[in-house]
Amino acid sequence: MYRFSNTLIGFLNLFTLLASIPIIGGGLWMAKNRTTCESFLQTPLLIIGFVILLVSLAGFIGACFNVAWALWLYLAVMLLLIGALMGLTIFGFVVTSRGGGAEVPGRVYREYRLADYSPWLRRRIQDPRYWETIRSCILGSNTCAAVVYWTPVDYLQRGMSPIQSGCCKPPTACSYAAEAGAALGQDPDCYKWNNAPNVLCYECDSCKAGVLETARRDWHKLSVLNIIVVVVLIGVYAVGCCAFQNANRSESGYPYGENRMSKSRPRWDYHWRRWMQDRRNWLY
């Protein structure tokens, strides 16, 4: 049992070390792929991948070679990582607690309003530079290519993603005059709609709300995953503490801890056995 914790922590960190490689690769692919619209995930994904790589390397070296300082560094960074993930999870649930869209009578899809989301998300999506990047990404991904050719029957029977619902069509409540094409609806998005493929409703608040709804759903999935990861990391941290104690014992030269005893009092039969051993040696 003395080396069990070191062996276990070594295998666990070898596994996480190998798992960090596809995470870093996925972050680099997202950074170079222009058709990926979730740009806000690129930097956190790369940071998490590199942190897991370095922490796993320190834990693997410390556990396999009984390097106490490497395990100390591993445990310190692991504790910070657990705290950061817990904070990020709580922040994610608070920020994404609002939203979800509203049902449209007689339609399968939902529609989304920007005012239904948290102020932090609204401020981020309304930044002109940030929105221009997302808008270019949606155009490049051809998200609306199929929707623009739908028939009225398709709108009644087929569902839409949040981005398709908000960016590829005007709000359902809008009403347009056949002659002039002027918007008669009261929603300001009705006046921003245009049939041109590069315009559509990309400047509508409903389009921004659709992007936020997509981010909200992805964030919920990541938050659930973060909870699982935190539970696993707490278990690994406990095993790492045992491995750290083993490394300290190995460096001190005493397999069961440093010997601090300066005086010793023999048991009652110590002198009797020693006298018998001396007598046996004298006779033979």
Side-chain angles (χ1 to χ4, degrees):
M1 294 298 292
Y2 170 68
R3 297 286 298 178
F4 176 74
S5 59
N6 293 64
T7 304
L8 180 59
I9 201 68
F11 276 113
L12 289 175
N13 282 282
L14 179 61
F15 173 76
T16 55
L17 180 67
L18 296 176
S20 66
I21 297 176
I23 294 177
I24 296 174
L28 293 175
W29 176 81
M30 290 177 66
K32 294 183 178 181
N33 189 1
R34 296 183 179 273
T35 62
T36 303
C37 297
E38 296 181 351
S39 58
F40 63 94
L41 291 177
Q42 296 172 7
T43 301
L45 198 61
L46 287 174
I47 293 175
I48 291 175
F50 279 111
V51 169
I52 292 177
L53 176 65
L54 296 177
V55 170
S56 300
L57 184 61
F60 180 77
I61 294 175
C64 294
F65 300 98
N66 285 324
V67 182
W69 68 266
L71 280 174
W72 182 88
L73 178 63
Y74 165 78
L75 292 175
V77 177
M78 181 71 75
L79 187 61
L80 293 176
L81 184 60
I82 292 173
L85 284 175
M86 292 179 65
L88 181 63
T89 302
I90 295 174
F91 175 77
F93 276 119
V94 171
V95 169
T96 60
S97 60
R98 299 171 57 182
E103 295 183 355
V104 181
R107 308 297 172 92
V108 179
Y109 57 81
R110 287 174 170 261
E111 291 187 338
Y112 307 91
R113 297 175 60 253
L114 191 59
D116 293 339
Y117 295 88
S118 67
W120 186 87
L121 289 176
R122 292 203 304 267
R123 286 194 301 268
R124 182 170 177 83
I125 203 69
Q126 288 174 336
D127 184 350
R129 291 178 298 178
Y130 183 73
W131 177 247
E132 185 62 29
T133 302
I134 296 179
R135 182 181 182 278
S136 301
C137 177
I138 297 174
L139 281 170
S141 63
N142 296 321
T143 303
C144 298
V147 179
V148 294
Y149 296 107
W150 280 11
T151 65
V153 177
D154 291 329
Y155 280 96
L156 294 174
Q157 298 179 349
R158 301 178 66 175
M160 293 183 183
S161 67
I163 293 180
Q164 288 176 332
S165 176
C167 305
C168 304
K169 65 171 187 59
T172 306
C174 294
S175 177
Y176 296 92
E179 296 82 4
L184 302 178
Q186 299 301 315
D187 193 327
D189 285 346
C190 298
Y191 300 91
K192 300 176 183 178
W193 163 260
N194 192 295
N195 287 326
N198 62 336
V199 179
L200 298 180
C201 213
Y202 292 126
E203 296 300 328
C204 298
D205 287 346
S206 61
C207 185
K208 297 175 181 179
V211 173
L212 290 184
E213 178 62 25
T214 302
R216 173 181 173 273
R217 295 179 181 181
D218 292 341
W219 212 332
H220 275 186
K221 296 176 183 177
L222 288 176
S223 297
V224 173
L225 179 62
N226 282 344
I227 294 175
I228 298 175
V229 171
V230 166
V231 173
V232 173
L233 288 181
I234 291 175
V236 174
Y237 185 83
V239 179
C241 290
C242 297
F244 177 69
Q245 292 179 353
N246 291 343
N248 274 337
R249 292 166 181 170
S250 177
E251 289 186 353
S252 66
Y254 298 95
Y256 298 100
E258 184 178 354
N259 187 3
R260 300 172 183 262
M261 187 169 56
S262 58
K263 295 182 179 180
S264 176
R265 177 175 298 178
R267 286 175 30 168
W268 64 272
D269 58 346
Y270 171 77
H271 296 288
W272 168 259
R273 291 185 178 181
R274 186 169 181 178
W275 181 81
M276 292 295 294
Q277 183 67 33
D278 292 341
R279 183 177 178 82
R280 194 177 297 109
N281 293 338
W282 180 77
L283 291 176
Y284 297 99

